Amino acid sequence: MKKSFVITLLSMLFMAAGATAQAQTSEEAGVREAIEHYFQGQATGVGDHFRKAFHPDAKLFFIRDGKFSTWTLDEYVSRASGKPAADEAERKRSITNIDISGNAAIVKVLLDYPSVRFVDYMSMLKVDGQWKIVNKTFYAEPKKRS
């Protein structure tokens, strides 16, 4: 009797762990999809990609010239050129960390460009079934030119 109880309990625990891992994988895929839209906006210069990644009320925060600065999503998208940067072939983008808790997530992104290295921290929420960036805080580190 005790052995069958232990086996049943272990089976239930493994099934629950599998279901949790599956849910996390599904949520992570949704987060990655939103970040991929962001990456496409960076790669193409097309603002519509950013609009797919960000919530319409999103805000961006950063320090420029030693001063706290902020943009709305519309201000950010207005800076999109509509075409890839001349050095696009040399640019690298990657997700370095994803932390999901329920319908909230934090994603750390690295944009490694020839003249600057950006580290983005994206706060995300699952809104109406889709993951959206609601806040982008970033650091830009200019690179020394050779």
Side-chain angles (χ1 to χ4, degrees), residues 23-139:
Q24 285 178 331
T25 301
S26 172
E27 296 303 337
E28 184 175 319
V31 166
R32 287 181 180 277
E33 180 180 345
I35 298 299
E36 186 57 36
H37 286 298
Y38 171 69
F39 285 167
Q40 286 299 311
Q42 292 289 335
T44 65
V46 175
D48 287 344
H49 291 294
F50 294 126
R51 291 199 186 281
K52 290 178 184 175
F54 287 85
H55 186 275
D57 295 325
K59 300 278 191 268
L60 292 81
F61 299 94
F62 53 99
I63 303 294
R64 178 164 288 159
D65 300 324
K67 292 176 25 183
F68 177 84
S69 299
T70 185
W71 289 332
T72 64
L73 177 61
D74 288 337
E75 289 171 314
Y76 180 62
V77 171
S78 75
R79 301 173 58 83
S81 67
K83 59 185 180 182
D87 62 0
E88 177 54 34
E90 300 171 68
R91 294 178 172 209
K92 296 180 179 108
R93 299 171 186 88
S94 60
I95 296 172
T96 62
N97 189 47
I98 297 175
D99 185 359
I100 302 170
S101 295
N103 63 359
I106 298 292
V107 180
K108 183 178 177 183
V109 171
L110 175 63
L111 307 175
D112 192 5
Y113 296 171
S115 62
V116 65
R117 179 180 180 266
F118 292 96
V119 177
D120 293 342
Y121 293 92
M122 308 293 200
S123 295
M124 301 182 71
L125 291 174
K126 190 172 186 182
V127 180
D128 297 327
Q130 290 191 307
W131 284 96
K132 296 290 185 178
I133 301 165
V134 295
N135 176 12
K136 172 183 166 175
T137 304
F138 68 93
Y139 169 69

